[in-house]
Amino acid sequence: MNNWSFYNPTHIEFCPECLDRISSGINYQRIALITTPGFTKRGVVAHVERALGDRLATVCDTVQPNPEVDAIDITAEHLRHVAPDCLIGLGGGSSLDTAKALARILTQPEGTTLSGHLRAGLPLENKRALPIITIPTTAGTGAEVTPFATVWDFQERKKHSITGNDLFPIKAILDPTLTLCLPESLTISSGLDAISHAFESVWNKNANPVSIGLATQSLTISLKTLPELKNRPHDLANRSAMMSASLLAGMAISQTRTALAHSISYPLTLGFDLPHGIACSFTLPELLKYNAVVDDGRLKRLAMILGYNNALGLADALKELLLSLGVPHFLSACELKEERALALTHEMLTPGRADNNLRPASVAEVCTIVKDAFQCNSSLKNEREE
Ligand SMILES: [Fe+2]
């Protein structure tokens, strides 16, 4: 950690019920809102429409979970006629990632498509992406402050990452009241995504003192708040705390990117439709133990700040947390059994993610990590049910 830099230019506004102020300080005149049909139904889009007035040129409310390249191309085609000068992503990670992918493709020459670029390898011109404003409605992805987007190609069974400093949102508006009505399953899976981001940015080769500080503060909040939210989902103080934790973890991974837990998750999301936050968190205790073998002191320090004697103590607490949040049930609901996950281990070393991990891993080591994660989940679950 001798040579490092930190760059995150996103202007953050954190305040409950601040959607009315969305237009303050924004000079764009042809804004496109990118979101899901649910936010139109629930009246949030109407709220944004009132706040932006005639500066809102169009609403694209067609985003689906795990945004797909062909669907993004269809939206891009529509938006080329609208010619927006700014995109607002409103929603969970899928809306924010879709806005970023659109921002990248819309400044390219007519006829350029995301699928052509990602599938056929057609190059993109060196053009700055459209400016993006993010309004997260879950507490987990951190995408409101990162310069990358995950998009999926189900036809080719591939996940792609789109990245670049021009994809840092110019502004992130965080209104925790938007998360008050999130269902329990989404609260848990997105919360576990934030927890995964924080851990992954610590056991990361790209970590620096600032990212570790952000991740540590994030975990101090999230490990306490997420179980409380399960019992008191309508508590605004807890919702605000969880949104802050997600933001801090997002800022940390905006510098480091994620690591092996995310790398392991991608084929499980593709193959079993396992929620992202569950797919990347069920291996965390095993990965903490795996990385502790090469700890340079950062994991022990983190454990002690969080109130444990060492990384192994923290790993045990993490196992209990995953059990209390029902992670084994999420896995069985998606019919994800140990053998089926192990059959995909050869796809779990995603370049750009796995190689960020503090301790390098082979396919055989990933296999052991996944196996131990399943066995730990089922033995703890059986123990509690006896
Ligand atoms: Fe994630």
Side-chain angles (χ1 to χ4, degrees):
M1 280 191 226
N2 286 332
N3 301 311
W4 58 273
S5 63
F6 185 96
Y7 176 72
N8 190 317
T10 304
H11 171 185
I12 298 161
E13 292 242 19
F14 191 108
C15 58
E17 299 188 33
C18 58
L19 276 191
D20 290 334
R21 307 213 311 262
I22 190 173
S23 60
S24 72
I26 296 174
N27 293 318
Y28 301 102
Q29 299 301 320
R30 292 191 60 74
I31 299 170
L33 178 64
I34 314 300
T35 189
T36 67
F39 288 100
T40 303
K41 266 187 233 147
R42 291 190 288 278
V44 184
V45 167
H47 198 145
V48 174
E49 281 172 335
R50 281 196 299 278
L52 289 174
D54 56 14
R55 292 202 278 161
L56 182 63
T58 191
V59 176
C60 299
D61 63 354
T62 52
V63 175
Q64 297 295 324
N66 301 324
E68 214 272 331
V69 288
D70 292 317
I72 293 170
D73 279 339
I74 292 169
T75 309
E77 208 177 310
H78 161 68
L79 284 175
R80 280 189 190 276
H81 300 293
V82 177
D85 57 2
C86 172
L87 303 180
I88 295 181
L90 166 77
S94 298
S95 294
L96 276 42
D97 285 356
T98 299
K100 289 176 188 173
L102 288 166
R104 164 68 78 239
I105 218 70
L106 284 171
T107 54
Q108 295 294 314
E110 186 94 36
T112 310
T113 60
L114 197 59
S115 52
H117 170 56
L118 296 175
R119 259 182 219 144
L122 300 176
L124 295 182
E125 288 190 11
N126 186 17
K127 306 249 186 204
R128 192 175 174 80
L130 283 175
I132 308 150
I133 295 169
T134 48
I135 309 177
T137 59
T138 60
T141 72
E144 65 273 19
V145 287
T146 66
F148 24 78
T150 298
V151 295
W152 302 83
D153 186 344
F154 293 114
Q155 187 186 308
E156 304 271 318
R157 276 189 52 83
K158 272 189 182 161
K159 161 251 164 205
H160 294 279
S161 191
I162 302 169
T163 186
N165 276 354
D166 56 339
L167 291 184
F168 268 115
I170 55 165
K171 188 171 183 178
I173 298 169
L174 290 96
D175 176 353
T177 63
L178 293 172
T179 66
L180 275 173
C181 292
L182 279 180
E184 182 180 292
S185 58
L186 195 51
T187 302
I188 290 173
S189 60
S190 50
L192 285 172
D193 191 21
I195 287 172
S196 306
H197 293 160
F199 275 114
E200 292 253 88
S201 67
V202 177
W203 59 57
N204 196 303
K205 285 181 182 165
N206 307 314
N208 64 51
V210 180
S211 66
I212 288 185
L214 290 163
T216 303
Q217 176 65 2
S218 176
L219 288 168
T220 305
I221 300 167
S222 59
L223 294 177
K224 175 174 173 288
T225 306
L226 192 54
E228 286 177 13
L229 261 184
K230 189 169 184 266
N231 301 323
R232 295 170 58 208
H234 303 299
D235 182 275
L236 182 58
N238 278 335
R239 289 290 185 185
S240 297
M242 201 59 219
M243 196 167 234
S244 308
S246 168
L247 170 74
L248 294 165
M251 290 178 76
I253 57 161
S254 77
Q255 309 303 302
T256 62
R257 296 184 167 229
T258 53
L260 197 48
H262 274 69
S263 179
I264 289 171
S265 80
Y266 296 125
L268 300 177
T269 298
L270 264 173
F272 299 93
D273 215 14
L274 188 64
H276 172 70
I278 306 298
C280 61
S281 64
F282 82 102
T283 51
L284 290 178
E286 298 309 320
L287 282 168
L288 180 51
K289 291 194 282 180
Y290 181 79
N291 282 299
V293 173
V294 295
D295 187 20
D296 55 8
R298 69 180 84 177
L299 293 175
K300 172 138 199 220
R301 269 194 300 280
L302 174 68
M304 291 180 75
I305 290 169
L306 294 172
Y308 304 93
N309 289 334
N310 49 39
L312 298 187
L314 176 56
D316 286 342
L318 203 44
K319 283 179 198 168
E320 292 289 344
L321 176 78
L322 296 181
L323 181 69
S324 72
L325 294 173
V327 166
H329 295 289
F330 278 97
L331 297 174
S332 47
C334 291
E335 301 193 2
L336 181 54
K337 296 201 170 78
E338 184 182 328
E339 319 78 72
R340 302 181 82 184
L342 290 176
L344 293 173
T345 44
H346 61 287
E347 293 177 29
M348 289 178 179
L349 287 176
T350 318
R353 293 290 178 274
D355 35 13
N356 295 334
N357 207 67
L358 194 59
R359 182 179 170 196
S362 62
V363 172
E365 283 161 330
V366 167
C367 190
T368 306
I369 289 164
V370 172
K371 202 176 204 166
D372 290 349
F374 269 96
Q375 285 177 1
C376 165
N377 267 320
S378 64
S379 61
L380 273 178
K381 184 169 163 253
N382 294 340
E383 212 175 277
R384 296 299 180 280
E385 284 171 356
E386 271 166 16

